[in-house]
Every structure is written in structure tokens, then in C-alpha cells.
């Protein structure tokens, strides 16, 4: 958990319009979590403060598990317009942007919990809106969590209304045996920064940057599962050694966990190395797949 459960990073090589874009990957522990016994804080307040800070520097998108069930509550202020006679008097004092009335979210989870109103309040205060249940292709209108008490929607993509058009895909994937959360597949269409037309420059040694990609072989599913079970002790040891006392310690712990998991899983995936080249157009497509 980073910076009060909020990890923000800046994409230096892309812009949306003339602004920087910040993507926040968020996890809010459930209300009965031991986290709150160690830290006396309201993570929604901390998150709202962070959004306010980074919104002054660019646009902010939120993605993650908030453990919030929002039901059918509006995430915008209804009837927010000001009468023209009053607005004309206020124009000389300050600018006021009324909330846009959005269509009703297609949420299969009609229930709420104590975190639901907190997330809705954050949306109204920050200008971010829930895209689950609103995306044009309809693949975002499904449950995201399946637990002992049933199914719910607690994993969200929050986006300013002005950025709705750049979200090309938002898909709540099928559940798997490896997680009680469904994968959220998000694809963003972004403008490349004209000042840096090469998206993937050479590294310090002058060598071309590359990335390894892995393709799942469904025929090896059972073998992969058995291998994970056989190495569960090693995985649990890495998990128990995760250190939250500092950013560098946490990074080192996560690197160890990732390396261990990669060593276990690598034999069951087809590996392909991709060498990056310069952008050929001003439109780049970024794909994020979040296992929350």
C-alpha cells in the first residue's frame, strides 16, 4: 500500500489536450481491516486531497478496489444549474461550472455500504465520474467481486466527463479461479506529446528498449495450477516479507514477489520479446489490465 493507499504516476510521453495525465491505482481496505487499527485516518479524505493536488497539475483518472457499493446513487450534483439572473451577477466574482446530468448507471449491484456514500461524495467533490455501467459497449455493466456473501460491484474506473471519449474500452472480464475479483480491462486512446515523438527512447547505453510479453497456453492450465500450489510456501514467504515501512523497502519486496512468481509461472507461457519503435502517428493506445 503506497502513500495512503494511493499510487500516482505521471506519463511523461503522453498528454491529453495540453494537460498531463495522472493515473491513480487505488486500494481502500474494507471497513473491518486491521489497517485502521494501525493507522487512524480516513483514506477517502486523503484520496480527495491527493486528487485535488494532482488535478491542479493535470487530469486525474482513478482505477481500483474501493470496497464501496454505490447502488444507484448519483455521482453528480442534480439540478446544479444556477438561474441566469444570479449567474450574471456572479460572473464578475468567480466562474461556476455546473455538474453535467449524466445517464443512469447500469449497476447490477443495487445495494450500498458505508463506503458507498463516501465514494459518491468524492466523485461530487473532485469532478470524477463512475464509468462502470456507462461505457458505450456495455461490457462494463457487470459484477466485479464474488465473495462468501454474494456478488457486488466494488472495483471502479473514475474519469472526468471531459475524458469519457478517450476510454475506448472498459470491460469487466469473467471471474477466474485465481481471484475473487474480476479483471478490469481498460484501453485508453491518448495523444502523443509532439515534443517527444519517440515514445520509447534508447536507454543509457544506447540500446533499444524492449519488453517481454507472455501468451497464455490454456492447455497447461492444470499444470500451472498444480505448480502454484506446490510453491505456495515460497509465495507466502515472499508475501510475509513485504515491508510497508518505506517506499524503497516496499518496492524491493514487490520486486522479490514478482520475480518469484515469474520464475514459477514462466514455463507455462509463451514468451515474445517486442522491440519498441517511434510513434508513427499522434494517437497512441494504452491498455491497462488490472487484477484487483
Amino acid at each position: 500500500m503506497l502513500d495512503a493507499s494511493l499510487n500516482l504516476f505521471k506519463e511523461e510521453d503522453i498528454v491529453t489536450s495540453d494537460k498531463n495525465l495522472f493515473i491513480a491505482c487505488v486500494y481502500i481496505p474494507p471497513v473491518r481491516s486491521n489497517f485502521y487499527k494501525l493507522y487512524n485516518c480516513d483514506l477517502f479524505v486523503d484520496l480527495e486531497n491527493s486528487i485535488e493536488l494532482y488535478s491542479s497539475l493535470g487530469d486525474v483518472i482513478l482505477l481500483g478496489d474501493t470496497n464501496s457499493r454505490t447502488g444507484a446513487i448519483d455521482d453528480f450534483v442534480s439540478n446544479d444549474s444556477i438561474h441566469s439572473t444570479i449567474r450574471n451577477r456572479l460572473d464578475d466574482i468567480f466562474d461556476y461550472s455546473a455538474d453535467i446530468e449524466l445517464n443512469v448507471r447500469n449497476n447490477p449491484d443495487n445495494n450500498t455500504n458505508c463506503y458507498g456514500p463516501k465514494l459518491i461524495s468524492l466523485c461530487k467533490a473532485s469532478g470524477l465520474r463512475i464509468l462502470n455501467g456507462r461505457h458505450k459497449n456495455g461490457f462494463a455493466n457487470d459484477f466485479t467481486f464474488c465473495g462468501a456473501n454474494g456478488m457486488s460491484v466494488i472495483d471502479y474506473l473514475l474519469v472526468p466527463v471531459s475524458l469519457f471519449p478517450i476510454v475506448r474500452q472498459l470491460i469487466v472480464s469473467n471471474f477466474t479461479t485465481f481471484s475473487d475479483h474480476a479483471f478490469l480491462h481498460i484501453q485508453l486512446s491518448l495523444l502523443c506529446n509532439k515534443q517527444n515523438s519517440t515514445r520509447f527512447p534508447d536507454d543509457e547505453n544506447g540500446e533499444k528498449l524492449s519488453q517481454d510479453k507472455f501468451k497464455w497456453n490454456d492447455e497447461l492450465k492444470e499444470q500451472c495450477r498444480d505448480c502454484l500450489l506446490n510453491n505456495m510456501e515460497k509465495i507466502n514467504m515472499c508475501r510475509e516479507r513485504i515491508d510497508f515501512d518505506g517506499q524503497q523497502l516496499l518496492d524491493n519486496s514487490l520486486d522479490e514477489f514478482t520475480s518469484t512468481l515469474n520464475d514459477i509461472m514462466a514455463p507455462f507461457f509463451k514468451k515474445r520479446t517486442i522491440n519498441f519503435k517511434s510513434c508513427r502517428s499522434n494517437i497512441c493506445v494504452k491498455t491497462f489490465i488490472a487484477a484487483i
Side-chain angles (χ1 to χ4, degrees), residues 232-244 253 256-257:
M232 192 56 64
E233 183 177 353
K234 185 184 298 184
I235 294 174
N236 287 332
M237 288 177 61
C238 289
R239 181 178 59 82
E240 292 169 358
R241 285 199 295 265
I242 295 179
D243 195 330
F244 295 99
S253 299
E256 179 190 5
F257 182 85

Side-chain angles (χ1 to χ4, degrees), residues 4-275:
S5 298
L6 176 62
N7 180 22
L8 290 168
F9 60 91
K10 180 177 178 182
E11 293 278 4
E12 291 285 356
D13 61 333
I14 58 176
V15 294
T16 304
S17 299
D18 57 347
K19 295 182 179 180
N20 295 313
L21 177 63
F22 299 89
I23 299 176
C25 300
V26 182
Y27 173 66
I28 304 291
V31 65
R32 295 183 180 85
S33 171
N34 290 330
F35 172 88
Y36 300 107
K37 296 179 181 179
L38 299 174
Y39 305 98
N40 182 21
C41 62
D42 187 331
L43 292 181
F44 285 93
V45 173
D46 293 340
L47 181 57
E48 184 177 327
N49 291 336
S50 296
I51 294 172
E52 181 181 2
L53 170 63
Y54 283 90
S55 292
S56 65
L57 305 174
D59 289 315
V60 175
I61 290 177
L62 240 62
L63 166 68
D65 176 6
T66 66
N67 275 297
S68 308
R69 302 179 71 177
T70 57
I73 307 176
D74 286 339
D75 53 354
F76 56 87
V77 179
S78 302
N79 303 317
D80 195 31
S81 59
I82 302 176
H83 194 274
S84 58
T85 56
I86 300 177
R87 186 174 62 249
N88 292 336
R89 296 178 183 177
L90 296 178
D91 281 345
D92 296 333
I93 302 176
F94 62 87
D95 294 328
Y96 181 76
S97 299
D99 277 3
I100 299 174
E101 297 271 348
L102 298 176
N103 59 304
V104 177
R105 289 182 288 125
N106 186 0
N107 189 356
D109 183 4
N110 296 317
N111 296 314
T112 61
N113 61 8
C114 61
Y115 279 176
K118 285 179 174 287
L119 183 64
I120 293 297
S121 177
L122 182 144
C123 290
K124 293 178 178 179
S126 65
L128 299 182
R129 300 292 180 257
I130 298 173
L131 203 56
N132 300 56
R134 284 197 177 111
H135 197 262
K136 57 187 178 181
N137 62 22
F139 298 133
N141 310 341
D142 211 341
F143 294 101
T144 68
F145 177 77
C146 181
N149 295 323
M151 304 180 75
S152 58
V153 175
I154 58 175
D155 309 291
Y156 298 95
L157 176 64
L158 306 184
V159 182
V161 175
S162 60
L163 297 188
F164 274 20
I166 76 168
V167 183
R168 297 184 60 178
Q169 287 186 348
L170 170 56
I171 301 173
V172 178
S173 304
N174 294 330
F175 288 97
T176 70
T177 57
F178 301 108
S179 176
D180 48 10
H181 290 261
F183 283 89
L184 298 185
H185 177 101
I186 295 127
Q187 191 175 81
L188 305 179
S189 178
L190 303 163
L191 294 175
C192 289
N193 191 331
K194 294 181 180 179
Q195 297 178 355
N196 183 12
S197 60
T198 303
R199 286 174 54 198
F200 304 99
D202 297 346
D203 65 10
E204 296 178 356
N205 299 322
E207 298 179 357
K208 293 292 183 181
L209 293 181
S210 61
Q211 180 182 11
D212 292 333
K213 288 200 171 184
F214 299 88
K215 184 177 181 181
W216 170 258
N217 187 341
D218 198 56
E219 295 179 357
L220 301 178
K221 180 169 59 177
E222 292 301 324
Q223 297 180 43
C224 178
R225 179 179 179 276
D226 292 341
C227 190
L228 281 173
L229 292 175
N230 292 335
N231 287 275
M232 192 56 64
E233 183 177 353
K234 185 184 298 184
I235 294 174
N236 287 332
M237 288 177 61
C238 289
R239 181 178 59 82
E240 292 169 358
R241 285 199 295 265
I242 295 179
D243 195 330
F244 295 99
D245 290 336
Q247 180 69 55
Q248 189 58 51
L249 293 173
L250 180 58
D251 289 344
N252 293 340
S253 299
L254 292 179
D255 285 342
E256 179 190 5
F257 182 85
T258 302
S259 178
T260 300
L261 193 60
N262 183 67
D263 291 342
I264 296 172
M265 300 291 287
F268 305 99
F269 290 82
K270 183 178 180 181
K271 180 178 177 181
R272 182 164 61 98
T273 301
I274 299 176
N275 295 315

